[in-house]
Amino acid sequence: MAAPVSTFTLSNGVKIPSVGFGCWMGEAGAGKDQELQNALKAAFEAGYRHFDTARAYGNEKEVGEAVKASGVPREEVFVTSKFWQYDHDDVARALKASEEDLGLTPDLYLMHWPMATDKDGNLRDDITFNETWRQMEDLYLAGKVRAIGVSNFSVQTLTALLKTARVVPQVNQVELHPYLPQPDLLSFCREHNILLTAYSPLGQYDSPILSDSAISAIADAHKVSTGTVLLSWGVQRGTAVVPKSGNPKRIRDNITLVNLTSDEMRTIDDLHNKEGKHLRLVKGVRGADRIFGWTHEQMGWQVR
């Protein structure tokens, strides 16, 4: 049975569950000792119907197999995938490769990062994300996918994209949590009817946000985990969330939301204004001088 979570309606009318299961397990592939397969089985049993994967995760095959093995009708499962930087020159080819591994067509297809590279990770200056987006629009307008969007785009890069777009991205997936709430980006996306989706909504690994005293106090008041509070905050402010976990209990906790009071929402909203609490939490990005070769200025990021 599907969990009783709300859905968001994208600008084209497609509905997407507000809570999804993030399929990045910290390494490319299925993970150690079938970690991903076990987690996917637990997620389906807990009622998840939204699964977020990517070509770069190296596990589209496992995700597709889990969808098939679940016995849940395909139309009741929402699958998101993304293509990597080296596929910016041929998005149709990338989509076909994902379809072959998944054994299905993703419902939502995203440009994983705005920069284009070659197979060795060297930046390419002969293709822009505007040109890549045009290929995505062609696929969407031809009915090849139900929805298209971007990931890791800022107000700056979205503004540049919209100057030439025929189709406004239906989704923008970014790092988003109380230590990085990105209110300006949220406001911009609302203005343009773009659903903002949070990856790493709980931070990563031994995330300090999970032990934040303010979050813990709210969790105690509701008799739930801090993770439940963080995800409830995300959905309540109008963003989808795609947490990941390999732990069956946390998988269940992550899809069991609570209603936060306006005072509790304001408390969480204000956390990033506290000293030392306005920061990125994703490993490999936090504190980096460059993001896959792009500067923070090129990305339009103000927070390292």
Side-chain angles (χ1 to χ4, degrees):
M1 180 183 295
V5 297
S6 60
T7 60
F8 290 111
T9 302
L10 303 180
S11 60
N12 64 351
V14 170
K15 294 186 181 300
I16 178 173
S18 59
V19 182
F21 185 79
C23 297
W24 171 244
M25 290 285 109
E27 60 181 62
K32 297 176 182 177
D33 301 322
Q34 294 193 319
E35 179 185 10
L36 178 63
Q37 293 97 321
N38 294 337
L40 287 166
K41 184 174 184 293
F44 266 109
E45 290 174 350
Y48 286 79
R49 295 297 182 263
H50 173 190
F51 296 85
D52 181 87
T53 185
R55 194 70 184 157
Y57 298 174
N59 58 30
E60 288 176 310
K61 182 178 179 181
E62 287 75 20
V63 173
E65 289 174 347
V67 172
K68 185 176 181 180
S70 72
V72 176
R74 172 67 186 94
E75 63 270 17
E76 295 180 16
V77 182
F78 193 97
V79 177
T80 298
S81 195
K82 319 169 193 73
F83 63 89
W84 197 238
Q85 292 106 309
Y86 51 66
D87 279 321
H88 277 232
D89 61 347
D90 196 337
V91 179
R93 177 191 63 204
L95 176 60
K96 183 178 180 181
S98 286
E99 288 175 324
E100 289 175 353
D101 276 355
L102 284 165
L104 54 85
T105 298
D107 299 278
L108 172 63
Y109 201 45
L110 305 180
M111 186 190 313
H112 207 150
W113 290 89
M115 70 288 290
T117 70
D118 61 22
K119 289 280 189 179
D120 296 319
N122 301 305
L123 287 174
R124 294 181 55 175
D125 58 11
D126 60 334
I127 184 168
T128 66
F129 56 69
N130 300 75
E131 294 166 326
T132 302
W133 183 249
R134 180 162 288 273
Q135 296 177 61
M136 296 184 71
E137 291 173 321
D138 289 342
L139 290 171
Y140 173 72
L141 293 172
K144 301 294 185 182
V145 287
R146 298 176 67 203
I148 53 175
V150 294
S151 181
N152 297 297
F153 271 60
S154 63
V155 171
Q156 175 180 300
T157 47
L158 280 173
T159 298
L161 182 68
L162 293 179
K163 288 180 179 178
T164 60
R166 294 170 291 166
V167 178
V168 175
Q170 280 113 18
V171 169
N172 180 26
Q173 186 180 122
V174 300
E175 180 183 353
L176 202 67
H177 45 70
Y179 283 12
L180 191 70
Q182 306 208 55
D184 291 344
L185 180 59
L186 179 59
S187 177
F188 182 93
C189 287
R190 282 175 175 163
E191 179 184 349
H192 294 278
N193 206 6
I194 300 168
L195 177 67
L196 203 56
T197 298
Y199 69 73
S200 297
L202 308 178
Q204 281 191 341
Y205 311 112
D206 55 346
S207 172
I209 203 166
L210 289 171
S211 57
D212 187 285
S213 60
I215 300 294
S216 295
I218 295 171
D220 289 345
H222 288 271
K223 295 181 173 56
V224 296
S225 68
T226 52
T228 292
V229 170
L230 293 169
L231 299 173
S232 299
W233 169 82
V235 172
Q236 211 162 313
R237 73 196 293 249
T239 65
V241 294
V242 286
K244 78 170 187 70
S245 179
N247 181 290
K249 182 181 184 305
R250 286 198 291 270
I251 288 172
R252 291 192 299 272
D253 287 348
N254 288 348
I255 203 167
T256 307
L257 305 185
V258 295
N259 292 318
L260 302 176
T261 67
S262 56
D263 285 343
E264 289 169 337
M265 289 293 291
R266 280 193 293 271
T267 295
I268 301 173
D269 287 341
D270 191 50
L271 278 179
H272 74 110
N273 293 317
K274 309 292 185 183
E275 184 176 356
K277 294 187 177 182
H278 192 54
L279 69 164
R280 295 185 181 276
L281 297 174
V282 172
K283 183 181 178 182
V285 172
R286 179 181 175 182
D289 291 331
R290 287 179 177 267
I291 313 300
F292 298 111
W294 273 26
T295 65
H296 283 254
E297 289 72 24
Q298 287 174 297
M299 291 294 297
W301 288 3
Q302 284 76 47
V303 180
R304 292 178 182 270

